[in-house]
Amino acid sequence: ILEGDVSKKKDLQIALNDICKSTYKKLLNSDSYSAVLYGVCLLENNPLFNAGTGSKLQKDGRIRMSAGIMNGDKNIFSGVINIQNVKNPILVADRLQTEKHTIVSGDKATQLARDLGFQQYNPLIQKRWEEHLKKIKGNTGTVGVVALDKNGVIVTGTSTGGIGGEIPGRVSDSPTVAGNYASKFAGISATGIGEQIVNSGAAVKIATRVEDGMILKDAVDKCITDASKLNYEFGVISISHKGDIYVNKNTDSIFYAWHDGENIDVFNY
Ligand code: ASP
C-alpha cells in the first residue's frame, strides 16, 4: 500500500493499519482477486490518498484517474486510463477483466462506466483544489495492493490520480504492466514518477526475473539500483508465490502496511 504525502503521517498510518486488517480479513473469506479489489476501493474512498476521492488535478483543473488490476493466475491485465467522475476506477477496470478489449481510455472509459451503471461522482476534495490553485504538486501518492491467497493466486491492483499538474491526458504507469503486474510467480505495484517507471518496465521486469529464478528481494533491489543509476525515482511493493513480501524505493516516503497471516505492521519507509 503506497502513499507519498508525508503531511499526515499519523493519519496515514492509522488508515493503512485499518485497511490492511480488513483487506486481510477479506482475503481469508474470499480470494486474492476480491481482496485486492476491496483493498483498492478502501484506499480510493479515503481522501488521504491520491486515488479516487482525493485525486490530484491535471493542469487544466480536471481530475482524470487511472487504475489497473492484474490476475496472475489468468494472466489478464485490465485497466482504465484517465477516467472521470467515477468513485472507484478500480471497479471499472475490474469489469474489463472478462472483455475482449481490456484497457479503455479517456472519454470512452467514462462513457463505458456510465453504460455499466457506475454513478456520476465528483472525487474532488478541497485540499486538492487548493494545491491546484497554488500549483503545489506535493509528493506523489498512488495506491496499490498486492495479495497472494491460499490457492497460490497472486493479484495486484494499482490506482492513481496521477502526479498533479500534468499535461491533460498524460498517461500514468499505474494502468500499464510497468506499474502493476502479477504472474504466477510475483506481484508488483509501483509508485513514483510514472514515466520513469514505464522507462524501467519495472513491475513486469521484476516478475520476469522472479520467474527466471531470482528471489524477489534481489529482483526488486536490482530494479531500484538500476533506476537510481538513471536518477529515476520510484518504489514498489511486491509479493512472491512463496509468500515473500518486499518493499524498496529510492524516492520520498512510501507508506505501506503488510499482513503475513500472523503479523501486521505499518511502515513509513
Ligand atoms: N506513478 C504515479 C504517476 O506517475 C504517481 C504516483 O505514484 O504517485 O502517475
Side-chain angles (χ1 to χ4, degrees), residues 2 50 139-142 160-163 166 170-174 190-195 197:
L2 326 171
N50 171 27
N139 292 323
T140 50
T142 294
T160 189
I163 49 175
E166 64 267 71
R170 174 242 183 206
V171 176
S172 139
D173 59 292
S174 309
T191 186
I193 310 298
E195 287 74 4
I197 297 167

Side-chain angles (χ1 to χ4, degrees), residues 173-194:
D173 59 292
S174 309
T176 77
V177 295
N180 184 80
Y181 194 81
S183 69
K184 288 192 161 69
F185 298 86
I188 299 97
S189 171
T191 186
I193 310 298

Side-chain angles (χ1 to χ4, degrees), residues 16 23 35 41 100 110 114 134 146 154 160 163 182 204 209:
L16 285 181
T23 302
C41 280
K100 181 176 176 197
T110 308
R114 298 288 167 261
K134 291 182 195 151
V146 301
I154 298 173
T160 189
I163 49 175
V204 67
R209 290 200 169 116

